Amino acid sequence: MIEIEGLQKTFSAGDNPTAALKDVSLSIKQGEIFGIIGRSGAGKSTLVRCINLLERPSAGRISVNGREISSLSGAALREARREIGMIFQHFNLLSSRTVFDNVAFPLELAGRSKAEIAREVTPLLDLVGLTDKRDRYPSELSGGQKQRVGIARALASKPAVLLCDEATSALDPETTKSILALLRDINRKLGLTIVLITHEMPVIKEICDRVAVLDQGSVVEQGTVFEIFTAPQAEITRRFVSDVIDRPLPSMLIERLQATPLTQGNVVLRIVFTGPTANSPIISEVVQRYGVLLNILQGNVEYIQGAPYGNIVVEAVGQPQAVQEVIDHIRDNNLRVEVLGHVADAHRAVA
Ligand SMILES: Nc1ncnc2c1ncn2[C@@H]1O[C@H](COP(=O)(O)OP(=O)(O)O)[C@@H](O)[C@H]1O
Ligand SMILES: [Mg+2]
């Protein structure tokens, strides 16, 4: 659907050229919601501006819907742009126009008749849930309602792709959820391909199918959202992911935790369950088989793309040999297990 190959964009302002995009290659499929995450300055906006032809690439190729767009101009350029809808962080509505007239604007520009426009705009307002606000002005709307107008306006040209640049970054968390749900709904109902740019990992987790991580103008990692969340490779990806799903260890535990084994001590383990194995009764299994007690110190199960991702921290109480067998058994079942450290056995210490 969107093929980007060796894309580079260098801004040459004065003596210091900025390489905003160094070498970006991506392949976005028809009908998916593709996320692009990166810190501020990573090159995200430059990338979308290249896709919607507001910027010319310095090198590389971009094709949308089978058409190479990086070299178009004139009427062909305008035609190609119509295929690409866009929504923005600050909505970019026309303040002197009503909701209806904002959504109608691209159709007026395309020279459509009043009757045609009414026929197209009415169902769009219904789709985004703004039928009762059709005659209101942007200043009378909440942020979420303004973004709904932005979405309806973008859809008016019947684009093949919707580009969203930080479209929920100005919204509170609850409104963000409702806008993301609307985008998901539109993606399913219309089969619309969505490219979603954000610096917020929860946004990616909420609705994206696949994601690419952009850092300093390069794609450092990409994969399904489940893969990226459960097995992040690049350091920056790990940081993005851990902001969302890793709970910090309780401070009481951190204070007790030591790096080396203690003679009268227990091992603290983190066990990570992914996908279907998250439901398997592994804990009760090892307790029965090896006679090791597992005290749960912390536990959390997230659902990513509908699949469970569990993360528990346990204190394993038992003979060192038996504890090692437990670790091996868990690994043999393809779960991740990591020794976080050692703690003195509270009960033995008291006794
Ligand atoms: N028109 C421009 N002229 C010069 N430098 C620019 C221009 N637009 C973006 N940049 C630079 O390119 C880099 C990437 O910017 P941008 O794409 O806006 O990042 P992001 O959207 O990820 O925050 C930044 O270093 C920015 O300063
Ligand atoms: Mg940006």
Side-chain angles (χ1 to χ4, degrees):
M1 173 73 209
I2 303 179
E3 300 289 337
I4 301 173
E5 242 180 78
L7 176 63
Q8 295 179 29
K9 176 70 190 180
T10 304
F11 293 105
S12 35
D15 299 337
N16 292 326
T18 311
L21 298 173
K22 288 170 190 154
D23 179 18
V24 173
S25 296
L26 289 174
S27 175
I28 298 168
K29 295 181 217 158
Q30 166 70 45
E32 75 176 333
I33 303 185
F34 192 94
I36 298 172
I37 187 159
R39 289 181 288 211
S40 172
K44 305 181 296 297
S45 293
T46 306
L47 177 56
V48 272
R49 289 170 63 81
C50 286
I51 299 175
N52 72 7
L53 302 152
L54 290 172
E55 296 282 1
R56 291 261 167 200
S58 308
R61 296 158 49 85
I62 302 175
S63 77
V64 176
N65 230 352
R67 176 162 42 181
E68 160 75 42
I69 59 167
S70 14
S71 53
L72 297 178
S73 60
L77 177 68
R78 282 193 297 278
E79 169 71 18
R81 268 204 190 125
R82 216 167 295 145
E83 299 233 293
I84 303 169
M86 176 124 180
I87 58 173
F88 308 87
Q89 180 171 2
H90 298 295
F91 324 120
N92 300 12
L93 302 181
L94 297 165
S95 57
S96 61
R97 283 176 162 247
T98 62
V99 167
F100 183 97
D101 289 340
N102 264 282
V103 178
F105 191 58
L107 300 171
E108 286 173 25
L109 289 183
R112 309 282 285 278
S113 75
K114 270 204 149 51
E116 270 179 303
I117 290 174
R119 236 186 352 260
E120 303 263 322
V121 172
T122 305
L124 283 172
L125 292 178
D126 189 37
L127 180 69
V128 301
L130 287 182
T131 301
D132 60 334
K133 296 277 187 275
R134 53 174 281 152
D135 298 321
R136 297 302 181 106
Y137 288 88
S139 61
E140 302 172 289
L141 303 178
S142 69
Q145 289 166 340
K146 285 181 198 166
Q147 195 56 290
R148 286 170 188 270
V149 179
I151 292 170
R153 180 184 55 184
L155 295 180
S157 328
K158 296 205 165 55
V161 185
L162 180 65
L163 305 178
C164 312
D165 190 0
E166 303 279 6
T168 57
S169 298
L171 305 175
D172 62 69
E174 208 161 303
T175 310
T176 292
K177 280 206 167 176
S178 81
I179 293 296
L180 294 178
L182 174 63
L183 289 174
R184 173 51 95 188
D185 189 42
I186 288 167
N187 163 260
R188 291 205 177 126
K189 272 192 193 142
L190 311 178
L192 185 69
T193 307
I194 295 181
V195 180
L196 201 147
I197 305 277
T198 183
H199 66 282
E200 297 175 316
M201 208 56 173
V203 167
I204 300 286
K205 176 168 171 279
E206 188 82 13
I207 63 163
C208 292
D209 300 310
R210 291 195 301 143
V211 58
V213 182
L214 193 65
D215 189 32
Q216 295 179 33
S218 301
V219 174
V220 293
E221 190 162 357
Q222 58 176 310
T224 66
V225 169
F226 193 80
E227 284 163 358
I228 293 292
F229 268 90
T230 57
Q233 304 296 313
E235 179 54 35
I236 178 166
T237 316
R238 289 210 189 111
R239 254 180 283 148
F240 274 127
V241 168
S242 75
D243 282 350
V244 183
I245 57 182
D246 284 358
R247 304 281 154 85
L249 292 176
S251 56
M252 269 176 61
L253 175 60
I254 293 174
E255 281 163 19
R256 292 171 60 208
L257 209 57
Q258 314 211 10
T260 49
L262 305 160
T263 40
Q264 294 262 298
N266 300 325
V267 184
V268 176
L269 305 172
R270 182 193 295 282
I271 305 171
V272 176
F273 309 72
T274 51
T277 54
N279 297 320
S280 85
I282 190 102
I283 298 293
S284 49
E285 212 171 281
V286 295
V287 169
Q288 279 177 11
R289 195 188 293 201
Y290 302 100
V292 171
L293 295 177
L294 298 178
N295 288 331
I296 296 180
L297 304 176
Q298 190 182 46
N300 170 41
V301 181
E302 293 275 342
Y303 286 83
I304 300 162
Q305 295 186 299
Y309 175 79
N311 185 326
I312 61 169
V313 176
V314 299
E315 177 178 356
V317 183
Q319 294 303 316
Q321 177 60 32
V323 171
Q324 188 54 51
E325 281 169 354
V326 165
I327 293 174
D328 294 342
H329 180 92
I330 295 173
R331 288 207 174 117
D332 288 347
N333 282 271
N334 293 319
L335 303 186
R336 279 218 317 270
V337 53
E338 178 192 352
V339 175
L340 296 181
H342 305 265
V343 289
D345 186 316
H347 308 288
R348 275 186 266 188
V350 171

